[in-house]
Amino acid sequence: MKYYSQYHTHDLFELEHTLSCLSKSNRWVRLSDSLPWDKIEKEYNKRLRNVHNGAGNKPARMIVGALIVKHVENLSDAKTIQAIQANPYMQYLLGLPSFTEKPVFVPELFVLVRKRLDEKFFNMLTLMLAEAEGRKPQSEEGDTDGHEHGGTLKVDATCCDAEVRYPTDTNLLEDGSRLIDRLLDKFCTRYHIRKPQTHRVEARHAFVSYTKKKRKSKRLVDKTKLVQIRCLQADIQAFLDFLGKQASNLLQCFNRRDRKCLQAAFKMFERQKMMFEQGVRTCADRIISIYQPHLRPIVRGKAKARVEFGAKVGASIVNGYTYVDHLSWDAYNESTDLIPQTELYRQRFGLFPKEVQADKIYLGKDNRKYIKEKHIDCFNHPLGRPPKEENDQRLQDRKRAVGERNEIEATFGTSKRVYRANDIRAKLDETADTWIGACFFAKNVMKFLRGLLRLFSEIFAQKTIIGQLYNNEDYLIPVFACHMQWGVK
């Protein structure tokens, strides 16, 4: 007896004809149909540099859609392209007319895109999302200073740490010694020149002996650093003398990254030598990585780590959407961000915030004076001694403001834990800025998508109620009026 399988094989590449048959309930399809792609295209084209020459650029929908997929799904550049190849819904988000198994672009294009864009670009896209959802702050009545006020501004700062090894003095000196030796090998191999004698073996032996010790005393640390500093100083001097004789071939051998790392290694050596000779542990503009010289130690005093290494970000939240207002690779006092963030609020929405919710570090005398002059509410503790009797309404407003301000603390946790706004893997400061902005934008996109789903569920619930009430003739006239007011078809 013949047996026929009940399961029939399907050809996935039948989707090559069109992607219009995809389910409209999918999150990528709903997001694609709701984003203002025309405005995004205009904003993206402003940042291109190929107006008069160069190859044509990829569409903004393809680039921005790929960035959304990358940071929402927390994928690497290469795996993002592979995921788009296998998922027709993602290809619909990127604006492809039909399913294709070919990569939409090479993963290396992400690096070029990060150099073109910045966090300000994603702030503009976030503002477009707020306009599309209708979540822009509205002006309220009762203004006495001639300015319009409306909405609530929530501000705070965090550190988006980079993916870098924890820096120690011995590791940095070892990296410098290895870099000098590698560049000498590269130069001598290319031009078939005999390599000069260096102290690399001695420096490596001291470092390996140090790392094998389970308990590292201060005496051992100082002894190892002394050997490393002397060897590195001799190697740098020999390196400069050797290249001085081969100046004609120097620029052709070392690329821009090599020269940048070499310059960082020289600065690192000068600071390490100064701290060792003076017996101090800190210095200005301390370099913690010769491969990412823009990184600086930022003292935060958190429970997880007292010092973090990355970018300090001053962010604000308006109606649930997060904006990156200040991004710096140097440590600074975040209290200086409050006035610029309030002015940015006015530029974006055309009015001042009705209320500002901030931590106590933001509320110095200058900031309190500014808030008072602009007639902005702020329900934090006043300066000086607490009053003996406090207004009950004021106390309730303070408790409410403290509870509402927790939203920005939760936003930082979600952005780092879910959308990986920490452990930034971009190696350049300009590309890392774009990476951080894209992480917060991905969070805003998913918030926008949740708002769409909530809106669809409310419309569906209204349709259900209307359908039930239409069966009763007594409710026909009032329900018809509500039906016309809601605009439900």
Side-chain angles (χ1 to χ4, degrees):
M1 181 178 179
K2 278 190 175 183
Y3 172 76
Y4 295 96
S5 174
Q6 298 178 359
Y7 301 97
H8 302 285
T9 60
H10 298 279
D11 187 7
L12 178 63
F13 297 99
E14 293 177 356
L15 292 173
E16 289 183 355
H17 298 296
T18 180
L19 291 177
S20 60
C21 60
L22 298 178
S23 174
K24 297 299 181 181
S25 61
N26 184 269
R27 58 172 180 167
W28 301 116
V29 176
R30 285 184 174 179
L31 185 62
S32 177
D33 294 339
S34 304
L35 291 177
W37 293 114
D38 294 338
K39 296 181 179 179
I40 294 176
E41 186 76 34
K42 293 179 181 179
E43 191 65 30
Y44 177 75
N45 290 332
K46 293 179 182 178
R47 288 163 169 78
L48 301 182
R49 303 187 182 96
N50 56 353
V51 178
H52 302 290
N53 53 14
N57 60 286
K58 299 289 184 181
R61 180 170 179 176
M62 181 177 294
I63 297 299
V64 176
L67 289 174
I68 291 174
V69 171
K70 170 181 171 57
H71 291 283
V72 169
E73 298 296 324
N74 190 16
L75 302 173
S76 64
D77 294 347
K79 289 187 178 180
T80 300
I81 302 301
Q82 295 175 4
I84 295 174
Q85 284 182 255
N87 194 323
Y89 294 100
M90 293 181 180
Q91 295 186 14
Y92 184 89
L93 174 66
L94 270 62
L96 299 182
S98 59
F99 179 82
T100 177
E101 60 177 338
K102 298 180 181 179
V104 288
F105 52 82
V106 293
E108 291 77 12
L109 184 61
F110 278 112
V111 180
L112 180 61
V113 168
R114 294 191 192 103
K115 292 181 180 180
R116 287 177 173 177
L117 306 180
D118 54 6
E119 71 277 6
K120 296 179 181 179
F121 171 75
F122 294 105
N123 286 338
M124 292 295 299
L125 300 191
T126 300
L127 191 59
M128 294 177 187
L129 296 181
E131 292 177 353
E133 193 182 358
R135 297 295 299 272
K136 293 186 64 176
Q138 302 296 327
S139 177
E140 299 181 6
E141 299 180 357
D143 295 329
T144 59
D145 61 339
H147 298 292
E148 295 183 348
H149 295 75
T152 302
L153 176 65
K154 305 172 185 178
V155 297
D156 204 353
T158 187
C159 180
C160 297
D161 54 304
E163 189 180 44
V164 63
R165 177 189 59 190
Y166 187 84
T168 61
D169 296 339
T170 54
N171 286 335
L172 288 174
L173 293 171
E174 170 66 14
D175 290 341
S177 177
R178 186 188 300 114
L179 176 67
I180 296 296
D181 188 70
R182 180 177 64 83
L183 293 182
L184 273 177
D185 284 338
K186 180 179 180 180
F187 186 86
C188 295
T189 302
R190 179 169 182 176
Y191 295 103
H192 307 287
I193 303 174
R194 182 179 179 182
K195 180 181 176 182
Q197 187 177 1
T198 63
H199 297 76
R200 173 61 185 155
V201 176
E202 183 181 355
R204 179 64 181 174
H205 177 72
F207 177 74
V208 172
S209 300
Y210 166 80
T211 56
K212 289 182 177 180
K213 299 291 184 180
K214 184 175 181 181
R215 300 183 183 275
K216 301 176 178 61
S217 62
K218 185 178 182 302
R219 182 179 178 181
L220 176 62
V221 174
D222 292 342
K223 181 181 178 181
T224 305
K225 288 170 60 178
L226 178 61
V227 174
Q228 288 181 307
I229 289 174
R230 287 179 176 176
C231 293
L232 184 56
Q233 183 176 9
D235 289 346
I236 289 177
Q237 187 62 42
F239 179 82
L240 295 178
D241 294 340
F242 177 75
L243 294 183
K245 301 177 183 179
Q246 307 289 337
S248 58
N249 301 327
L250 179 60
L251 296 178
Q252 300 176 3
C253 182
F254 298 149
N255 54 31
R256 183 175 59 179
R257 177 168 177 78
D258 290 337
R259 293 193 295 268
K260 185 177 180 180
C261 293
L262 188 61
Q263 184 179 9
F266 290 162
K267 292 181 180 179
M268 178 273 300
F269 170 72
E270 293 176 358
R271 287 163 174 75
Q272 291 293 332
K273 182 180 179 182
M274 181 270 296
M275 289 190 294
F276 182 79
E277 292 176 350
Q278 297 182 5
V280 296
R281 297 185 178 181
T282 59
C283 66
D285 294 332
R286 184 171 186 175
I287 293 179
I288 64 170
S289 174
I290 62 177
Y291 303 105
Q292 299 184 57
H294 57 278
L295 295 180
R296 295 290 182 271
I298 297 179
V299 180
R300 297 286 293 166
K302 301 298 182 181
K304 180 180 179 182
R306 183 174 176 270
V307 181
E308 295 176 296
F309 309 97
K312 192 169 185 179
V313 177
S316 62
I317 290 184
V318 181
N319 289 335
Y321 288 100
T322 308
Y323 301 87
V324 179
D325 299 325
H326 187 190
L327 196 153
S328 173
W329 294 97
D330 295 319
Y332 71 95
N333 193 332
E334 57 262 34
S335 62
T336 58
D337 285 344
L338 183 61
I339 296 178
Q341 286 176 321
T342 307
E343 296 296 334
L344 283 173
Y345 185 97
R346 186 184 182 186
Q347 294 178 10
R348 290 168 181 157
F349 307 110
L351 44 81
F352 283 105
K354 180 66 176 177
E355 180 183 349
V356 169
Q357 297 175 357
D359 199 1
K360 62 181 180 180
I361 194 174
Y362 286 88
L363 299 176
K365 292 183 179 179
D366 294 338
N367 290 341
R368 288 177 183 266
K369 181 180 178 181
Y370 174 83
I371 290 174
K372 186 177 180 180
E373 290 177 353
K374 301 302 180 181
H375 298 274
I376 301 174
D377 295 332
C378 185
F379 299 103
N380 287 62
H381 289 279
L383 296 177
R385 293 183 179 181
K388 295 181 180 180
E389 295 181 0
E390 190 169 9
N391 188 0
D392 293 339
Q393 182 63 34
R394 183 80 179 182
L395 184 60
Q396 293 179 2
D397 290 336
R398 185 181 303 164
K399 291 181 179 180
R400 173 191 58 80
V402 171
E404 292 179 355
R405 200 191 69 84
N406 288 334
E407 179 184 6
I408 194 167
E409 300 288 353
T411 294
F412 290 155
T414 303
S415 301
K416 293 181 179 182
R417 186 179 65 256
V418 180
Y419 303 104
R420 297 308 298 271
N422 61 343
D423 292 337
I424 306 300
R425 285 173 284 176
K427 301 304 179 184
L428 303 178
D429 53 348
E430 53 184 346
T431 57
D433 294 347
T434 306
W435 187 299
I436 294 172
C439 291
F440 285 96
F441 175 68
K443 172 202 165 291
N444 293 329
V445 165
M446 299 311 294
K447 190 263 175 195
F448 174 75
L449 181 60
R450 288 193 298 270
L452 291 178
L453 297 177
R454 184 167 58 251
L455 178 62
F456 292 154
S457 62
E458 291 177 357
I459 293 177
F460 179 78
Q462 292 171 0
K463 285 185 176 182
T464 304
I465 295 174
I466 292 173
Q468 294 176 354
L469 295 179
Y470 261 116
N471 296 330
N472 192 335
E473 296 180 357
D474 296 336
Y475 294 98
L476 183 60
I477 296 178
V479 167
F480 179 77
C482 294
H483 183 273
M484 296 299 295
Q485 181 180 1
W486 287 337
V488 181
K489 298 180 181 180

